[in-house]
Amino acid sequence: MTLSRWLLVPALACLSCGHSEELGPLKDPPPAPAAGNAIPVGPLGGKLLDEPFTVHAARYYVDQRPGYEKVDIKLYSEKSETACGPLANSKSPSVWLRRKGAEALAPGTFSINLEGGGPWEAHYQTRHDERWVGYGEANALFVITAVDPDLKVHGELSACFRDPKGSCVAGRFTASYCRISIDAPVRGTEMMERRPKKPIPPPPRVRDAGADGEAP
């Protein structure tokens, strides 16, 4: 289920909260581009709740646990020293794309709209008045242009969200594959995830990515 909007407080997801009243009513976003050649060539950036957003770290996770199978592509405004290492600021804004199912990623073009129903969802989260504020309804075009032998995913995204400020981001990114950390809580999901009884193997066609993943 797509979470249309939610507020997060540290270590606890508030699943029934509405958006902050002071932010104003929700605004429907404009339509997504019809083709990938309309997406800007530069690094992915834009504004989230009127604050500038530029991607400085990008990674993705494949969760193969029964009942939790999904792929999350996380786009962060904060840098990290290594591809899968800790962010310099764990409270930085982020945009992420989620697809149900743990199948390997492959090049393709995907539409995301307010009604949902497609394979991918688009979300973002940012801090507002010391709280996590997030929205998960968008009109977007997402393109996977290539998947390298070392598992890096090259993508393009143009997304505008249903929120009070007309938040939009667009541009290109390259995301590294990182293993999930099943010991940490997952922000922005419907429930806290438990440690599985058996070790989780790497995603399809992966032998050894050698990365220290963080919580998806």
Side-chain angles (χ1 to χ4, degrees):
M1 177 182 296
T2 300
L3 298 180
S4 61
R5 56 190 184 271
W6 35 262
L7 293 177
L8 296 179
V9 295
L12 177 66
C14 181
L15 303 176
S16 60
C17 296
H19 64 282
S20 298
E21 293 298 329
E22 65 269 22
L23 294 177
L26 300 179
K27 300 177 181 179
D28 284 344
N37 58 13
I39 299 176
V41 172
L44 191 143
K47 286 189 175 181
L48 301 178
L49 294 183
D50 285 340
E51 294 295 327
F53 176 85
T54 301
V55 169
H56 291 293
R59 55 190 68 166
Y60 71 98
Y61 306 87
V62 180
D63 194 336
Q64 294 179 290
R65 293 172 293 168
Y68 298 110
E69 296 92 344
K70 63 181 179 294
V71 175
D72 281 338
I73 300 176
K74 297 291 191 78
L75 309 173
Y76 297 100
S77 64
E78 195 65 46
K79 296 180 180 180
S80 61
E81 292 187 2
T82 61
C84 298
L87 299 173
N89 177 11
S90 63
K91 295 183 179 180
S92 64
S94 63
V95 173
W96 79 89
L97 297 154
R98 172 167 291 177
R99 187 204 69 189
K100 293 181 179 179
E103 297 80 15
L105 297 179
T109 299
F110 310 94
S111 295
I112 301 170
N113 56 55
L114 298 178
E115 290 72 31
W120 289 91
E121 302 172 357
H123 304 255
Y124 80 80
Q125 66 179 19
T126 187
R127 300 282 290 183
H128 177 74
D129 290 342
E130 301 303 317
R131 294 172 292 173
W132 285 108
V133 181
Y135 296 85
E137 290 181 324
N139 286 331
L141 184 68
F142 171 42
V143 183
I144 297 177
T145 57
V147 181
D148 293 344
D150 65 356
L151 302 181
K152 284 188 173 66
V153 169
H154 301 273
E156 302 175 355
L157 175 67
S158 177
C160 289
F161 296 88
R162 175 184 276 166
D163 72 359
K165 301 295 184 179
S167 300
C168 291
V169 298
R172 297 180 176 182
F173 64 88
T174 298
S176 299
Y177 166 67
C178 299
R179 297 181 186 276
I180 65 171
S181 175
I182 58 177
D183 296 323
V186 178
R187 299 187 303 191
T189 54
E190 289 88 344
M191 62 184 295
M192 305 301 285
E193 300 184 2
R194 299 176 181 270
R195 179 191 292 270
K197 296 181 179 180
K198 296 181 179 180
I200 301 303
R205 296 187 286 109
V206 175
R207 293 296 180 266
D208 184 10
D212 294 322
E214 67 171 20

mmCIF file of all heavy atoms in Angstrom, residues 14 34 38 52 79 95 99 106 133 136 152 157 166 201 210:
data_model
loop_
_atom_site.group_PDB
_atom_site.id
_atom_site.type_symbol
_atom_site.label_atom_id
_atom_site.label_comp_id
_atom_site.label_asym_id
_atom_site.label_seq_id
_atom_site.Cartn_x
_atom_site.Cartn_y
_atom_site.Cartn_z
ATOM 1 N N CYS A 14 4.861 6.916 12.710
ATOM 2 C CA CYS A 14 3.482 7.278 13.034
ATOM 3 C C CYS A 14 2.652 7.070 11.781
ATOM 4 O O CYS A 14 2.680 7.885 10.866
ATOM 5 C CB CYS A 14 3.411 8.726 13.498
ATOM 6 S SG CYS A 14 1.754 9.244 13.948
ATOM 7 N N ALA A 34 6.526 12.684 -20.640
ATOM 8 C CA ALA A 34 6.082 11.541 -21.440
ATOM 9 C C ALA A 34 7.233 10.650 -21.863
ATOM 10 O O ALA A 34 7.038 9.473 -22.162
ATOM 11 C CB ALA A 34 5.332 12.033 -22.676
ATOM 12 N N ALA A 38 13.071 14.141 -21.812
ATOM 13 C CA ALA A 38 12.652 15.387 -21.180
ATOM 14 C C ALA A 38 13.246 15.567 -19.793
ATOM 15 O O ALA A 38 13.095 16.632 -19.184
ATOM 16 C CB ALA A 38 11.123 15.430 -21.094
ATOM 17 N N PRO A 52 16.033 23.346 -0.921
ATOM 18 C CA PRO A 52 16.828 22.771 -2.019
ATOM 19 C C PRO A 52 17.240 21.329 -1.719
ATOM 20 O O PRO A 52 17.560 20.990 -0.579
ATOM 21 C CB PRO A 52 18.050 23.691 -2.091
ATOM 22 C CG PRO A 52 17.612 24.973 -1.464
ATOM 23 C CD PRO A 52 16.630 24.584 -0.387
ATOM 24 N N LYS A 79 26.433 13.322 1.774
ATOM 25 C CA LYS A 79 27.497 12.460 1.283
ATOM 26 C C LYS A 79 27.843 11.381 2.299
ATOM 27 O O LYS A 79 27.516 11.491 3.479
ATOM 28 C CB LYS A 79 28.743 13.297 0.983
ATOM 29 C CG LYS A 79 28.565 14.317 -0.132
ATOM 30 C CD LYS A 79 29.847 15.097 -0.353
ATOM 31 C CE LYS A 79 29.676 16.117 -1.473
ATOM 32 N NZ LYS A 79 30.924 16.891 -1.698
ATOM 33 N N VAL A 95 14.999 10.946 -1.098
ATOM 34 C CA VAL A 95 13.955 10.491 -2.018
ATOM 35 C C VAL A 95 14.213 9.027 -2.249
ATOM 36 O O VAL A 95 15.364 8.599 -2.338
ATOM 37 C CB VAL A 95 14.018 11.264 -3.345
ATOM 38 C CG1 VAL A 95 13.045 10.673 -4.370
ATOM 39 C CG2 VAL A 95 13.722 12.739 -3.122
ATOM 40 N N ARG A 99 10.052 -0.887 -5.243
ATOM 41 C CA ARG A 99 9.370 -1.862 -6.092
ATOM 42 C C ARG A 99 9.178 -3.147 -5.308
ATOM 43 O O ARG A 99 10.107 -3.637 -4.663
ATOM 44 C CB ARG A 99 10.221 -2.163 -7.330
ATOM 45 C CG ARG A 99 9.518 -3.040 -8.364
ATOM 46 C CD ARG A 99 10.522 -3.776 -9.238
ATOM 47 N NE ARG A 99 11.249 -4.796 -8.478
ATOM 48 C CZ ARG A 99 12.303 -5.472 -8.947
ATOM 49 N NH1 ARG A 99 12.773 -5.209 -10.154
ATOM 50 N NH2 ARG A 99 12.896 -6.379 -8.200
ATOM 51 N N ALA A 106 16.715 -4.265 -14.106
ATOM 52 C CA ALA A 106 17.086 -4.300 -15.518
ATOM 53 C C ALA A 106 16.663 -2.989 -16.162
ATOM 54 O O ALA A 106 15.754 -2.308 -15.668
ATOM 55 C CB ALA A 106 16.416 -5.481 -16.221
ATOM 56 N N VAL A 133 8.860 14.369 8.134
ATOM 57 C CA VAL A 133 7.655 14.574 7.348
ATOM 58 C C VAL A 133 7.876 13.926 5.990
ATOM 59 O O VAL A 133 8.935 14.096 5.383
ATOM 60 C CB VAL A 133 7.341 16.068 7.171
ATOM 61 C CG1 VAL A 133 6.052 16.255 6.364
ATOM 62 C CG2 VAL A 133 7.222 16.748 8.527
ATOM 63 N N GLY A 136 4.124 10.229 -0.167
ATOM 64 C CA GLY A 136 4.349 9.068 -1.020
ATOM 65 C C GLY A 136 3.386 8.939 -2.169
ATOM 66 O O GLY A 136 3.097 7.827 -2.599
ATOM 67 N N LYS A 152 26.212 -1.453 -10.171
ATOM 68 C CA LYS A 152 25.759 -0.061 -10.128
ATOM 69 C C LYS A 152 24.588 0.120 -11.090
ATOM 70 O O LYS A 152 24.590 -0.395 -12.207
ATOM 71 C CB LYS A 152 26.889 0.895 -10.492
ATOM 72 C CG LYS A 152 27.920 1.106 -9.395
ATOM 73 C CD LYS A 152 28.883 2.213 -9.782
ATOM 74 C CE LYS A 152 29.817 2.550 -8.622
ATOM 75 N NZ LYS A 152 30.719 1.439 -8.294
ATOM 76 N N LEU A 157 15.236 10.267 -13.187
ATOM 77 C CA LEU A 157 13.957 10.411 -12.497
ATOM 78 C C LEU A 157 13.454 11.834 -12.634
ATOM 79 O O LEU A 157 14.220 12.800 -12.504
ATOM 80 C CB LEU A 157 14.126 10.074 -11.008
ATOM 81 C CG LEU A 157 12.904 10.301 -10.113
ATOM 82 C CD1 LEU A 157 11.779 9.323 -10.458
ATOM 83 C CD2 LEU A 157 13.287 10.170 -8.638
ATOM 84 N N GLY A 166 4.271 21.645 -3.556
ATOM 85 C CA GLY A 166 4.608 21.354 -4.944
ATOM 86 C C GLY A 166 6.032 20.879 -5.131
ATOM 87 O O GLY A 166 6.730 21.304 -6.048
ATOM 88 N N PRO A 201 20.554 -14.555 1.288
ATOM 89 C CA PRO A 201 21.573 -14.577 0.233
ATOM 90 C C PRO A 201 21.582 -13.269 -0.534
ATOM 91 O O PRO A 201 20.652 -12.467 -0.431
ATOM 92 C CB PRO A 201 21.105 -15.735 -0.660
ATOM 93 C CG PRO A 201 19.617 -15.754 -0.468
ATOM 94 C CD PRO A 201 19.378 -15.362 0.973
ATOM 95 N N GLY A 210 30.426 -7.215 -1.245
ATOM 96 C CA GLY A 210 31.399 -6.735 -0.284
ATOM 97 C C GLY A 210 31.069 -5.386 0.313
ATOM 98 O O GLY A 210 31.952 -4.587 0.583
#
